[in-house]
Amino acid sequence: MTMIQCISPIDGSVYAERPAMSLEAAAEAVARARKAQKAWARRPLEDRVQLVLKGVARLNEMSDEVVPELAHMMGRPVRYGGEYKGFNERSNYVAAIAADSLAPLVVEASDKFERRIEREPHGVVFVIAPWNYPYMTAINTIAPALMAGNTVVIKHATQTLLVGERMVRAFVEAGVPDDVFINLFLDHQTTSALIAAGNFNFINFTGSVEGGRSIERAAAGTFAGLGLELGGKDPGYVMEDADLDAAVDTLMDGATYNSGQCCCGIERVYVHESLYDAFVEKSVAWVSNYKLGNPLDPETTLGPMANKRFAKVVREQIADAVSKGAKALVDPKLFPADDGGAYIMPQILVNVDHSMAFMKDETFGPAVGIMKVKSDEQALGLMNDSPYGLTASLWTQDPERAARIGREIETGTVFMNRADYLDPALCWTGVKETGKGGSLSVLGFQNLTRPKSYHLKKVTK
């Protein structure tokens, strides 16, 4: 029997393990979810919404277990209290818009015809969730999918092995019927085989670009809908009229919070030459204040990366950039806990350019490059010089200028004077190798349902 193991970044020990399901057992579980879907969809929408909210509330009651569990599995310090703020905000928002988002579009309601378009659930939705924000990313799809009348199968990343199990437990304890929301422990081969066999009507995957390609290959010919949120290299652009202190505070937090392991984290910053020196100086001071250490210690502000192999990529990118002329500005003496493994200090690089992998490839760690620019045109060219496009952060006091530049950026979301935030009222989406589809907002409900047209001619006597 193959065991799936979560290796804790705290000390490299096996924190949790579960047996991988066989293809036959997994297919049987999905078949039960499919059987349960019709009855779930027939329940009144408000009943489904309220049951999902009860599941969310039940998970909130588990915070004493959830928060240290996350620290053990992926290294986020307990002082930050888990992911409840975003988890609750997103759940509550989609609940508030569910009725309007799923309401029929009535074309005609006369004595001769009823013509309308209704939204119908896809059926079984498969959520393959990542480890970096394991609750918030998963709820983006789970909550609206269930509210819309789908049943949901979740497979969580090995690094956060227990999250799917805990979410399902919370929702079932809150009254969601058996088989409406289920968790499976699967290896990659079984996951691909389930998809290829056409077991799912919609698949949402958050993860690497190569992982997204694997999902697309497995789903080829099944005609299942796909939502893919993949890699990122999100830029910030600080213009000459920016609020300097606010820009430093937000962009450095966006670059380093959660040890830089954020889909929409800031990985590269372009600063107008008039503010460049001050921005760099303030940024180095800001980042140098972190305390790197054991995430179970309430004094720790920066924990280890989720796995030492992720930290290895960050160190290799930094070393390569330095060998090509970049300069690292954060003093290693301030971070004695950096052990060359999962515990890695934050870093700021200058004298960087786009010939370096550090400024082109996804880093996904607590390190950021800062470049000096002379104009909007130069900044725009650099921001678009990337295979990715999730968010871009613009810093200016001129909304018209931000909107003008934003229209030219190849990205899914344009921020002005903020970064690293997911607004549930807006569609979360990306372009290029960041993926396709979108979650949350009214468009998220549309992606998790299909249109069904009714053309009813009335018989007149």
Side-chain angles (χ1 to χ4, degrees), residues 293-316:
N294 190 318
L296 297 173
D297 181 350
E299 298 300 315
T300 293
T301 54
L302 191 72
M305 292 190 68
N307 192 291
K308 62 183 180 182
R309 72 177 185 274
F310 306 147
K312 181 174 183 287
V313 171
V314 180
R315 290 190 178 95
E316 288 174 347

Side-chain angles (χ1 to χ4, degrees), residues 110-172:
S110 69
D111 58 349
K112 296 182 178 179
F113 287 97
E114 287 185 24
R115 295 185 293 146
R116 64 183 180 272
I117 303 169
E118 295 187 0
R119 304 301 309 186
E120 190 164 278
H122 286 303
V124 181
V125 171
F126 188 29
V127 177
I128 307 174
W131 51 264
N132 63 320
Y133 282 92
Y135 286 100
M136 287 200 295
T137 51
I139 204 65
N140 292 351
T141 302
I142 291 168
L146 289 173
M147 291 175 187
N150 300 285
T151 51
V152 173
V153 177
I154 184 171
K155 174 218 174 293
H156 231 291
T158 300
Q159 196 63 52
T160 43
L161 186 63
L162 304 182
V163 171
E165 182 179 72
R166 183 168 289 282
M167 289 184 76
V168 168
R169 175 185 149 197
F171 277 56
V172 170

Side-chain angles (χ1 to χ4, degrees), residues 295-407:
L296 297 173
D297 181 350
E299 298 300 315
T300 293
T301 54
L302 191 72
M305 292 190 68
N307 192 291
K308 62 183 180 182
R309 72 177 185 274
F310 306 147
K312 181 174 183 287
V313 171
V314 180
R315 290 190 178 95
E316 288 174 347
Q317 283 193 9
I318 291 173
D320 175 71
V322 169
S323 75
K324 294 175 179 175
K327 184 177 180 181
L329 298 183
V330 180
D331 187 354
K333 294 187 180 67
L334 297 173
F335 297 93
D338 188 322
D339 63 353
Y343 289 85
I344 180 172
M345 64 174 281
Q347 190 54 269
I348 292 173
L349 298 187
V350 294
N351 297 346
V352 289
D353 61 51
H354 281 217
S355 70
M356 302 169 183
F358 183 74
M359 294 298 287
K360 295 279 285 184
D361 298 341
E362 186 171 38
T363 302
F364 219 63
V368 62
I370 304 175
M371 286 183 66
K372 183 189 300 184
V373 295
K374 295 179 180 293
S375 66
D376 291 350
E377 291 72 24
Q378 183 186 9
L380 180 61
L382 289 166
M383 285 189 283
N384 283 340
D385 184 26
S386 172
Y388 307 111
L390 184 57
T391 78
S393 177
L394 305 179
W395 291 81
T396 177
Q397 297 181 39
D398 185 346
E400 292 183 4
R401 182 182 180 188
R404 184 175 65 253
I405 295 170
R407 280 189 286 271

Side-chain angles (χ1 to χ4, degrees), residues 45 48-49 90-91 93-103 119-122 140-150 424 427 438-450:
L45 171 60
R48 299 196 302 265
V49 169
R90 299 171 193 188
S91 302
Y93 184 80
V94 295
I97 68 168
D100 288 342
S101 299
L102 298 170
R119 304 301 309 186
E120 190 164 278
H122 286 303
N140 292 351
T141 302
I142 291 168
L146 289 173
M147 291 175 187
N150 300 285
C427 185
S439 61
L440 297 174
S441 78
V442 62
L443 299 182
F445 274 108
Q446 291 178 9
N447 285 332
L448 291 164
T449 55
R450 59 178 177 267

